[in-house]
Amino acid sequence: MALRPGDAGYEDARSGVQRAYLHEPSVAVRAGGAEDVRLAVRYAAEHGHAVAVQATGHGLNAPTEGGVLIDTAPMAGVRVDPASRTAWAAAGTRWEQVIAAAAEHGLAPLSGSSPDVGVVGYTVNGGLGLLSRTFGFAADHVRRVDLVTADGEFRSVTPDDDDGLFWALRGAGGNFGVVTGLEFDLFPVARFYGGGLYFDTELIPAVLETYREWTGTVPDRMSSSIGLIPLPDVPAVPAPLRGRHVAHVRIAYAGTVESGEELVAPLRALGPRLVENVGEMPYTASGTIHNEPKQPRNFYCANAMMSKFDASVPGAVLDLVGPGAEVFAVVQFNHLGAALAQPPAIPNAVDHRDASHVLRVVTLPQGPDRDVAHETAQTVTQAVAPWALGRSPSFLQGERDAGAQAREYYTPATFDRLAALKAVHDPENMFRCNLNVPPAKGEAASPAKGEGVAPGKDEDVSPSRPGKSIVM
């Protein structure tokens, strides 16, 4: 369905969970299937329009002004092959649907902290998951990418079909087409040891410092993060946490309960917990670890990937946005390393694998223009500048100048290779995304093996209408 400003449904099509930045397209297409996507891309190409995709979940591609916005939310569906331990998910699928389908076979995907997040955007930007130190980035385990490219054709890209494009799609996928589906690995995880420990305000400095030291001692199967969160005094917040600034340590351990208990003991020894729910749990309950809100809201996210979690960092961060700070800010440190530091079996464009931790700051701006919330988030990430390697696309929510910052998310060699591939696959820079890499100028990349890939075999199985009804 094609919608223009003023049409019923246009506002819904251009709005997501992220409300600080709204798309302003000339045409919004609610795609019911891959054929709708193909028609929308062809229309954009014929009229010289840029193309953006509305994120399914918490993120937002860099907001567009004019052009064509494709909303893939109606394209939700998942198939699980327990024999090969794989799943195929259509573009509008959220992780909660994959988790439920995989659990029927004792399997789990490499989903993140919120089951409400969309599979495609999360994965093509890398995908830092709950069990990532054990299994790596979600992008490391993609087997096939189905998409519509700038020529308006369906393609199904695998390592055998097109080495260059397959490499680029896993880490910078939004630059090369509109993904209509992904095939990826599942893992034999039905239950695991996990949960969260909430500590009160006065313990925050000790908890943060202990967490910093603790992450240098834990095994690869332990994935974790810590959040410093000012919680409002509202009924939606559990009573013990209301109105408090808390430290929330999140645990996801792919080991035995007994060894998990031993590993968490130093954290419990810090003092009483306001709330604790750490123990063995089914993977279907993994969303309760972070327990992130789903309702639409304004928010801004900045992050920095750090080569080390220096001893000076906790104090510097708390001085800026600790308890009593004037600006609301949620601060999070994720422990990286282990499998995340290892090159995948099939290389991809996910960079900065030598980072030990990533710092994330979330603030609440009043709108897309720069204000104190934007500046505060940037100031916090600048506090770790001496150890900053770059930024993580896994924690990127759009802003108007995000595309100009793409170099911060890739090494120079990766960026240059992406730009060369962009010149081959999208020379007019039709596809716009948070990490928009402009086509290389004055040179043409050599087409990779299998450039003329046949259409994907799964377009006709999207749970949708045929899509022939689009009239621009």
Side-chain angles (χ1 to χ4, degrees):
M1 180 183 295
L3 304 166
R4 295 185 181 274
D7 289 348
Y10 174 86
E11 290 299 320
D12 287 341
R14 77 186 187 108
S15 303
V17 172
Q18 164 65 279
R19 294 297 171 89
Y21 316 93
L22 292 177
H23 293 292
E24 299 176 2
S26 299
V27 178
V29 176
R30 303 215 67 175
E35 177 65 9
D36 285 355
V37 174
R38 188 183 69 83
L39 292 173
V41 171
R42 285 198 169 184
Y43 169 84
E46 290 168 1
H47 293 82
H49 291 319
V51 173
V53 179
Q54 175 67 288
T56 302
H58 290 185
L60 173 74
N61 279 348
T64 59
E65 295 181 3
V68 176
L69 174 69
I70 301 176
D71 179 12
T72 61
M75 296 171 59
V78 59
R79 297 191 309 274
V80 171
D81 182 346
S84 63
R85 291 181 179 174
T86 61
W88 181 89
T93 308
R94 298 174 189 262
W95 280 117
E96 58 194 358
Q97 296 165 280
V98 181
I99 291 169
E104 295 179 8
H105 307 282
L107 301 171
L110 296 185
S111 53
S113 57
S114 173
D116 193 47
V117 165
V119 171
V120 167
Y122 165 94
T123 302
V124 300
N125 278 337
L128 180 63
L130 285 174
L131 296 174
S132 54
R133 277 177 45 84
T134 304
F135 299 112
F137 290 99
D140 298 345
H141 297 280
V142 172
R143 296 196 178 192
R144 188 177 87 244
V145 183
D146 299 329
L147 77 161
V148 176
T149 48
D151 55 6
E153 296 297 328
F154 295 122
R155 300 202 178 185
S156 186
V157 184
T158 71
D160 294 333
D161 293 326
D162 186 334
D163 291 340
L165 188 55
F166 190 67
W167 171 85
L169 288 169
R170 296 166 303 129
N175 282 282
F176 300 95
V178 180
V179 177
T180 59
L182 290 176
E183 182 182 358
F184 48 89
D185 294 326
L186 300 173
F187 297 86
V189 178
R191 303 181 67 82
F192 68 106
Y193 180 82
L197 305 93
Y198 292 84
F199 296 90
D200 207 351
T201 311
E202 66 273 10
L203 288 176
I204 287 178
V207 174
L208 184 54
E209 173 57 24
T210 298
Y211 178 79
R212 184 189 71 83
E213 297 175 350
W214 179 78
T215 56
T217 68
V218 296
D220 292 357
R221 286 181 169 270
M222 174 63 78
S223 299
S224 67
S225 68
I226 184 170
L228 310 180
I229 312 169
L231 291 165
D233 188 2
V234 297
V237 176
L241 306 178
R242 289 177 194 165
R244 299 177 183 273
H245 201 134
V246 302
H248 181 200
V249 181
R250 299 81 170 250
I251 300 297
Y253 178 57
T256 66
V257 173
E258 293 75 18
S259 58
E261 289 283 307
E262 293 178 4
L263 289 167
V264 172
L267 301 174
R268 289 187 171 127
L270 285 164
R273 280 77 67 198
L274 296 168
V275 173
E276 181 185 331
N277 56 2
V278 177
E280 187 181 25
M281 64 170 62
Y283 197 83
T284 51
S286 60
T288 65
I289 296 176
H290 285 243
N291 200 28
E292 294 178 351
K294 295 183 178 182
Q295 66 271 22
R297 58 200 181 277
N298 287 12
F299 58 96
Y300 172 71
C301 184
N303 75 79
M305 301 189 78
M306 306 184 301
S307 60
K308 62 180 293 188
F309 197 166
D310 189 77
S312 65
V313 170
V317 169
L318 290 176
D319 286 345
L320 291 168
V321 286
E326 294 182 4
V327 177
F328 176 94
V330 174
V331 176
Q332 177 172 306
F333 291 92
N334 284 74
H335 186 202
L336 307 180
L340 295 167
Q342 302 303 313
I346 302 172
N348 58 35
V350 179
D351 261 342
H352 304 308
R353 291 178 180 265
D354 50 344
S356 71
H357 296 76
V358 59
L359 164 64
R360 182 188 183 196
V361 188
V362 179
T363 55
L364 304 180
Q366 297 304 303
D369 296 329
R370 287 283 172 184
D371 64 11
V372 66
H374 292 85
E375 299 304 327
T376 297
Q378 292 293 339
T379 298
V380 175
T381 60
Q382 289 166 9
V384 300
W387 308 280
L389 299 173
R391 299 185 187 276
S392 167
S394 293
F395 295 128
L396 178 65
Q397 281 94 19
E399 58 178 303
R400 294 198 183 277
D401 60 350
Q405 300 177 16
R407 286 187 179 274
E408 299 181 39
Y409 295 83
Y410 304 108
T411 63
T414 297
F415 184 90
D416 290 345
R417 185 180 179 190
L418 289 170
L421 286 165
K422 182 83 164 177
V424 171
H425 296 283
D426 183 19
E428 301 302 321
N429 198 20
M430 179 168 64
F431 297 114
R432 306 298 174 85
C433 59
N434 273 336
L435 299 179
N436 189 242
V437 177
K441 296 180 179 180
E443 61 179 283
S446 299
K449 180 181 67 174
E451 193 71 29
V453 182
K457 62 183 179 181
D458 288 311
E459 281 80 12
D460 59 339
V461 299
S462 296
S464 63
R465 51 183 171 74
K468 301 289 187 182
S469 60
I470 290 186
V471 177
M472 303 297 183

